Amino acid sequence: MKKKIQFTLIMKFSLLALMFFTLNNSVYAQAVTPKDGIIMHNKSQRPSIFVNIDPEPKPLKKAWKSFLKDNYDFKIKGIGFLSNKDLLYAEDLVIEKISPKRMNFYTKIVENEVGSEMTVFGSFGYDIYIDKNETPEEYKVMNQMLTEFLNSYLPDYYKNQVKDTEKKVKKLSKEVKGLNKDISKNNKKTKKLAKEIEELTKEAAEKEEELETATIKLKERKSKLERIKKKLNQ
């Protein structure tokens, strides 16, 4: 009974998890919007665009690197073979979709209580950073880059989360069913053993009674034998 209750609870939890991930998958593009922010870089506060999202930093960095290579034709450094830095960078290059000028492009991705905080910012040279007010067009393009990435990456991320949850539900269901079968078998065995123990106990009691009767008879026959021996000797 206890295991069946646990099975019901597991199924309810799993269904809730599936509903949660499916809901996130359908509305997340609307829920997550890049925001204006500030980041410390080169010993000063710099304008940036940031977002807090569920994926963990390392897979997020890899996905962002692939997205930039496929859609903006440049390679960001800091993530790859034997490399997993918080600050990813591509320096002294032209990103045509942002600006015809040579620039530096940065992305900082760190773990937080949600999953990851992702911050994008850029500069023309050492101290001229892309700003919402001073360079609005470039700032707008960077915001669009991040938004495009989120809209393409997050739905697939949540689909995979749903698949993983479904697999876990399936595995847990099999395990619980197996446990219930084992419990049923053990209950049957226990009942059978209890019956056998009861029969053996009864049989042992009967044997003890027979033994006691036989012991009394033995004493009586020994006594009778002694009496016969005495008579024969006389």
Side-chain angles (χ1 to χ4, degrees), residues 48-144:
S48 67
I49 304 162
F50 79 97
V51 68
N52 290 313
I53 48 180
D54 288 339
E56 294 179 355
K58 191 170 183 178
L60 183 61
K61 292 172 189 175
K62 290 182 177 180
W64 179 235
K65 180 179 180 180
S66 297
F67 173 82
L68 294 175
K69 184 71 174 68
D70 294 341
N71 295 277
Y72 290 87
D73 197 30
F74 73 95
K75 188 175 181 180
I76 200 164
K77 299 177 182 178
I79 181 66
F81 182 68
L82 299 178
S83 179
N84 183 17
K85 296 181 178 179
D86 291 342
L87 185 65
L88 311 181
Y89 59 94
E91 296 179 323
D92 193 24
L93 78 163
V94 175
I95 304 173
E96 292 181 359
K97 291 184 180 181
I98 297 179
S99 172
K101 300 177 183 178
R102 299 193 75 80
M103 63 174 291
N104 304 316
F105 184 88
Y106 302 101
T107 306
K108 188 173 184 180
I109 299 176
V110 293
E111 186 176 8
N112 65 4
E113 66 278 1
V114 175
S116 295
E117 182 175 86
M118 183 176 184
T119 306
V120 176
F121 60 105
S123 69
F124 298 111
Y126 181 80
D127 206 39
I128 304 172
Y129 282 76
I130 294 173
D131 180 86
K132 188 176 184 178
N133 298 316
E134 300 297 327
T135 51
E137 290 302 318
E138 291 85 349
Y139 191 87
K140 182 180 178 182
V141 174
M142 287 203 310
N143 195 307
Q144 288 173 347

Side-chain angles (χ1 to χ4, degrees), residues 212-225:
E212 188 176 350
T213 302
T215 303
I216 293 170
K217 285 183 179 180
L218 179 61
K219 286 181 180 178
E220 290 176 350
R221 286 174 181 174
K222 281 183 177 180
S223 178
K224 187 174 181 180
L225 180 61

Side-chain angles (χ1 to χ4, degrees), residues 28 40 55 82 88 117 121 141 173 176 206 219 229 231:
Y28 206 85
M40 286 295 298
L82 299 178
L88 311 181
E117 182 175 86
F121 60 105
V141 174
S173 297
V176 173
E206 290 174 354
K219 286 181 180 178
K229 281 182 179 180
K231 286 183 179 181

Side-chain angles (χ1 to χ4, degrees), residues 5 19 21 59 124 129 148 158 170 177 188 204 209:
I5 292 170
M19 287 171 65
F21 284 122
F124 298 111
Y129 282 76
E148 286 172 16
Y158 281 104
K170 193 173 181 181
K177 284 178 182 177
K188 288 178 182 178
E209 190 176 342

Side-chain angles (χ1 to χ4, degrees), residues 5-33:
I5 292 170
Q6 289 177 345
F7 174 72
T8 304
L9 289 173
I10 289 169
M11 291 305 296
K12 284 183 178 179
F13 167 78
S14 303
L15 287 170
L16 285 171
L18 284 172
M19 287 171 65
F20 169 76
F21 284 122
T22 304
L23 180 63
N24 270 324
N25 185 38
S26 62
V27 302
Y28 206 85
Q30 298 172 358
V32 176
T33 305

Side-chain angles (χ1 to χ4, degrees), residues 21 25 154-164 166:
F21 284 122
N25 185 38
L154 289 176
D156 289 337
Y157 168 80
Y158 281 104
K159 282 178 185 176
N160 291 330
Q161 290 292 305
V162 170
K163 286 179 182 177
D164 289 342
E166 286 174 341

